[in-house]
Amino acid sequence: MLSQLQSFQARVRAVLRLPRENPELIQAKLAAFTRQIPIMYTLVMVNTVALAVTHYGSAPWLLTVVIPSVLNSVCLFRMILWWRSRGKILSAEHAIARLHGTIVTAGILGAGFSAWSLSLFRYGDAYVQSYVAFFLATTTIGIGFCLMHLRSAALLIMALVVIPFTIFFVSTGSMVFVATAINFVTVVVACGYVLLINYRNFENSINSTKALLIKQEELKALNDTNFRNSNIDSLTGLPNRRHFFAELDRRMAQAAAEGRSLTIGILDLDGFKPINDVHGHRTGDRLLIDASLRLRAALDPSIYLARLGGDEFVIIDENETCRARIIEAGTAIADLLQAPFEIDELTIRIGSSIGFATFPSVAITAEDLFECADYALYFVKQHDRGRAVIFSAEHQASIREASLIDQALLNADLETELWIAYQPIIDTDSGRTVCFEALARWRSPTLGDVSPMRFITAAERSGSICELTPILLRKALEGAASWPADVRISFNLSALDVASPLSVLKIIGIVQQSGIDAHRIDFEVTETAVMRNRSQASEALKTLKALGARISLDDFGTGYSSLSCIRELPLDKIKIDRSFVQNVETDAASQMILRTLAGLCINLKLDCVVEGVETTQQMRLLRDEGCRFMQGYLFARPMAASKVQAYLAASDNAAPAAMARA
């Protein structure tokens, strides 16, 4: 019994309490009240005046004038207060306080009006007495519906009227008034039920709206997150590639409409990959973050900065279109990034190369403008790293030429148009030719003789190098088949050749079908080719070495990771780039570098070949520094396969005497 009573009390408290934990519902109640309370007070005041008038003259002046005037004055004052509060936004605490005040006022006024109206019952005839019952019934029902959004106040008013009303009219003993009391209670209960249903619907509507708003906020937050994920680089916080192209489109359209120019610059961090490989991705990521912070702090706020991916950044500058100022700005950026970075007790130095392109002078679409800037970057990285270059007519001509080469390669009969030239490598101790390097040549029926630098680069760029390599290797080995067994052949592999297991299998198949002993073959790779995918390149070279071939590192000293390449790759020979030989007669630094590299090869038991030897004096200096194997115009220019046998015969007779004279 006690538990049932406690449960009933809990339900009553739940019905009467204000939902403090739901501020949106509180605000909705207050907003509804602001509209309905004036209507309620108007109803009460009109009914009060009507009841007072029906009793005027038969009831005391106190009951017909004074008390109604006081009650109506309170109602009028409250109505004005509510009317003036329309449109005001209150805090949750103030709204709760306001509603609490309404409940208290409703209780006081309900008790006051009930006591006043019932005190008039004994005055007047049966019609006037019936009007008292009518007043209480209609006023109570009207107030209940006006207070439906404040459930506790509505129920309190009904209780303060229904209970005294029922007791009073039942106590009269009149069957008419007893029936009236019963009807009144029935109607009020029904109205109360309807009121509770409407209140629940109102509450559910507010809660549904609240839930919808919450979902909308969650959706907005999710959209913001998706936008950030799809448009912002997660590592540096800069706009990403997607956002850059959208912004470039927008700014170019605006610049075109206003007759303005703009410039984009693509920036690449020189030397980033070796740092990332040697010190790990964590250090590489920190370096990218620090570089982006340094750029953002130094650049004018009006300059748009984004990260394209990897170690590439891009800027959009709508201020500068003067070529001299653009180069000056690019140089300043390069100088900025050359300052050392301090990361985890490491001092790291990098460089940067930048390619610029200006709208609308070189391109009128975002894609073309980007391609121009990217080509300018490619040009500066190939020719003079660490500088800024603006896309120019020279670059435009190079692109056209590259396009012609691409088209010619696409339509070429590679089997008949490709051929091999051979350049000897000399053992200067004996004066004998120990190896020939196979050099690719292409005689196009439309373009004529195309420089290997141009068509090999084009083939690597388009991916067709994988079609060229098997043809060139087969032709090179066919030419070497008639050579003496102690003369080797050296063949160059591209980055794509060593990056593809399928290409390696094709190379092995060609070697096995050629009839040439694999021990007579040297496969040359450059540091750049190896560094694109070091792990795969290392596996490919180990596979070729297991076949019996020897592995040579070409253009040694021109890359960023020479020492790490020597340590990790299965090398047998190193070829020192011709750039160290050009000024060796007069440049003490070049002499010191060559001496160091030659000593390194001796200590590591690697053969050392020096490229680009053109004078007898160079040969003498190189021999003095410990270099034995050489290649260059001093000994012979590249020759066709048909001339190799004659060259070998002549060199075998002349070489010892020539070496003695040298």
Side-chain angles (χ1 to χ4, degrees):
M1 185 68 178
L2 179 61
S3 62
Q4 292 177 346
L5 179 61
Q6 290 174 340
S7 176
F8 175 75
Q9 290 174 341
R11 287 197 295 271
V12 171
R13 283 195 297 269
V15 170
L16 297 179
R17 67 183 288 272
L18 288 174
R20 292 176 176 270
E21 73 285 352
N22 194 341
E24 290 81 8
L25 183 57
I26 292 293
Q27 293 290 353
K29 288 174 179 287
L30 191 63
F33 261 54
T34 304
R35 297 187 299 270
Q36 296 169 357
I37 286 293
I39 299 174
M40 184 193 73
Y41 281 126
T42 301
L43 169 68
V44 171
M45 288 189 293
V46 170
N47 287 358
T48 299
V49 171
L51 183 60
V53 169
T54 59
H55 286 79
Y56 188 76
S58 61
W61 187 76
L62 176 67
L63 293 177
T64 58
V65 177
V66 177
I67 293 178
S69 298
V70 172
L71 292 174
N72 277 357
S73 297
V74 174
C75 290
L76 181 63
F77 175 73
R78 295 286 299 175
M79 184 176 71
I80 293 172
L81 285 180
W82 280 98
W83 184 264
R84 293 177 62 183
S85 65
R86 290 178 307 160
K88 291 184 178 179
I89 304 299
L90 301 179
S91 66
E93 290 300 321
H94 282 86
I96 291 173
R98 193 77 180 273
L99 294 177
H100 268 303
T102 299
I103 295 171
V104 173
T105 303
I108 295 172
L109 290 177
F113 277 104
S114 295
W116 169 70
S117 58
L118 291 175
S119 67
L120 291 171
F121 183 80
R122 57 185 177 145
Y123 301 101
D125 54 20
Y127 293 107
V128 176
Q129 289 176 340
S130 298
Y131 186 69
V132 171
F134 180 78
F135 165 81
L136 284 170
T138 56
T139 305
T140 301
I141 294 171
I143 291 174
F145 278 102
C146 287
L147 293 175
M148 72 168 65
H149 296 115
L150 188 57
R151 182 173 53 186
S152 52
L155 295 176
L156 180 61
I157 288 290
M158 289 181 176
L160 290 173
V161 175
V162 171
I163 294 173
F165 181 96
T166 304
I167 294 173
F168 182 84
F169 282 95
V170 169
S171 66
T172 62
S174 170
M175 289 302 296
V176 174
F177 288 127
V178 171
T180 300
I182 293 172
N183 290 340
F184 180 55
V185 170
T186 303
V187 172
V188 168
V189 170
C191 290
Y193 180 73
V194 173
L195 183 148
L196 291 175
I197 292 175
N198 287 338
Y199 176 82
R200 186 164 58 249
N201 292 338
F202 171 76
E203 188 176 41
N204 290 339
S205 175
I206 297 302
N207 289 334
S208 297
T209 303
K210 176 183 176 181
L212 180 61
L213 291 174
I214 292 173
K215 287 294 184 183
Q216 288 176 342
E217 288 297 323
E218 291 176 351
L219 182 60
K220 182 178 181 300
L222 181 61
N223 288 338
D224 290 343
T225 301
N226 289 338
F227 176 83
R228 180 174 180 83
N229 290 341
S230 60
N231 290 276
I232 303 298
D233 175 51
S234 59
L235 179 64
T236 63
L238 294 174
N240 62 10
R241 186 184 190 92
R242 176 178 179 178
H243 190 278
F244 160 72
F245 278 106
E247 186 69 12
L248 182 59
D249 277 330
R250 186 188 69 79
R251 295 197 183 203
M252 286 177 64
Q254 185 175 356
E258 298 174 1
R260 294 186 292 102
S261 301
L262 64 80
T263 301
I264 68 168
I266 304 176
L267 182 153
D268 183 88
L269 301 182
D270 298 329
F272 170 77
K273 183 172 175 54
I275 292 170
N276 199 50
D277 291 341
V278 172
H279 299 291
H281 291 290
R282 180 177 177 274
T283 300
D285 289 347
R286 286 281 306 279
L287 179 58
L288 290 172
I289 293 171
D290 289 355
S292 67
L293 291 174
R294 188 179 291 185
L295 286 169
R296 184 69 280 170
L299 293 174
D300 188 273
S302 64
I303 296 178
Y304 175 92
L305 173 66
R307 181 189 174 209
L308 294 176
D311 60 346
E312 281 193 338
F313 297 84
V314 64
I315 62 173
I316 303 176
D317 188 354
E318 298 180 278
N319 303 317
E320 293 295 345
T321 55
C322 170
R323 295 182 66 87
R325 296 291 296 275
I326 292 172
I327 293 297
E328 181 182 342
T331 303
I333 292 174
D335 292 342
L336 176 74
L337 293 174
Q338 282 181 347
F341 291 86
E342 302 294 334
I343 299 175
D344 294 337
E345 300 181 356
L346 292 173
T347 299
I348 296 175
R349 294 181 180 273
I350 58 172
S352 63
S353 302
I354 311 174
F356 288 102
T358 302
F359 165 82
S361 59
V362 300
I364 58 174
T365 68
E367 292 77 10
D368 290 344
L369 188 66
F370 181 83
E371 287 296 327
C372 290
D374 194 44
Y375 188 85
L377 174 64
Y378 171 80
F379 182 87
V380 72
K381 288 177 72 69
Q382 292 294 317
H383 296 86
D384 196 1
R385 288 175 179 265
R387 291 180 55 245
V389 168
I390 303 176
F391 187 82
S392 64
E394 177 188 356
H395 302 143
Q396 191 80 48
S398 297
I399 290 177
R400 284 196 296 269
E401 182 181 8
S403 178
L404 291 174
I405 292 174
D406 289 341
Q407 288 299 316
L409 273 175
L410 187 64
N411 300 313
D413 181 358
L414 299 177
E415 193 66 46
T416 58
E417 295 175 21
L418 291 175
W419 60 283
I420 297 294
Y422 299 91
Q423 186 174 28
I425 298 173
I426 307 300
D427 178 356
T428 57
D429 281 357
S430 64
R432 302 186 65 83
T433 298
V434 294
C435 183
F436 283 91
E437 180 179 0
L439 302 173
R441 296 292 185 264
W442 178 34
R443 183 171 293 113
S444 168
T446 56
L447 302 178
D449 288 328
V450 183
S451 163
M453 179 65 70
R454 295 188 181 280
F455 80 80
I456 293 296
T457 301
E460 288 181 333
R461 184 175 60 247
S462 65
S464 61
I465 189 69
C466 294
E467 299 177 30
L468 271 64
T469 297
I471 297 172
L472 292 169
L473 178 59
R474 181 169 49 78
K475 288 178 176 286
L477 296 180
E478 287 175 356
S482 60
W483 301 348
D486 61 344
V487 178
R488 307 180 61 80
I489 182 169
S490 183
F491 186 84
N492 292 277
L493 297 177
S494 73
L496 294 180
D497 292 327
V498 295
S500 169
L502 181 60
S503 295
V504 174
L505 290 176
K506 287 182 179 180
I507 291 169
I508 293 173
I510 292 170
V511 170
Q512 291 174 338
Q513 293 172 9
S514 68
I516 300 291
D517 189 342
H519 291 84
R520 291 179 57 198
I521 303 173
D522 294 343
F523 285 110
E524 296 187 18
V525 291
T526 63
E527 294 176 73
T528 303
V530 171
M531 294 307 296
R532 289 186 182 181
N533 191 335
R534 181 183 293 191
S535 59
Q536 172 57 37
S538 179
E539 289 301 317
L541 296 178
K542 288 177 182 177
T543 301
L544 294 175
K545 183 156 184 168
L547 181 68
R550 301 178 75 202
I551 307 301
S552 175
L553 185 63
D554 197 13
D555 297 337
F556 181 72
T558 60
Y560 284 99
S561 306
S562 301
L563 296 180
S564 64
C565 282
I566 292 175
R567 184 183 70 250
E568 297 176 13
L569 298 180
L571 298 178
D572 300 289
K573 180 168 63 176
I574 287 176
K575 298 186 75 174
I576 299 176
D577 187 70
R578 67 182 65 249
S579 60
F580 295 106
V581 181
Q582 291 174 349
N583 301 316
V584 69
E585 302 100 319
T586 57
D587 187 355
S590 294
Q591 295 174 15
M592 180 62 71
I593 292 172
L594 285 165
R595 183 181 307 128
T596 302
L597 295 180
L600 178 67
C601 291
I602 292 171
N603 292 330
L604 294 176
K605 296 181 173 56
L606 299 175
D607 287 344
C608 176
V609 178
V610 183
E611 299 177 302
V613 181
E614 297 184 357
T615 67
T616 303
Q617 186 178 1
Q618 289 175 346
M619 183 184 69
R620 289 171 180 164
L621 286 170
L622 291 170
R623 283 180 57 79
D624 290 343
E625 301 299 342
C627 299
R628 174 181 174 184
F629 300 101
M630 302 181 196
Q631 176 182 359
Y633 288 173
L634 173 64
F635 309 103
R637 292 178 176 271
M639 64 192 75
S642 59
K643 297 182 179 180
V644 171
Q645 291 291 359
Y647 166 80
L648 286 174
S651 63
D652 285 345
N653 295 326
M659 290 303 106
R661 289 195 300 272

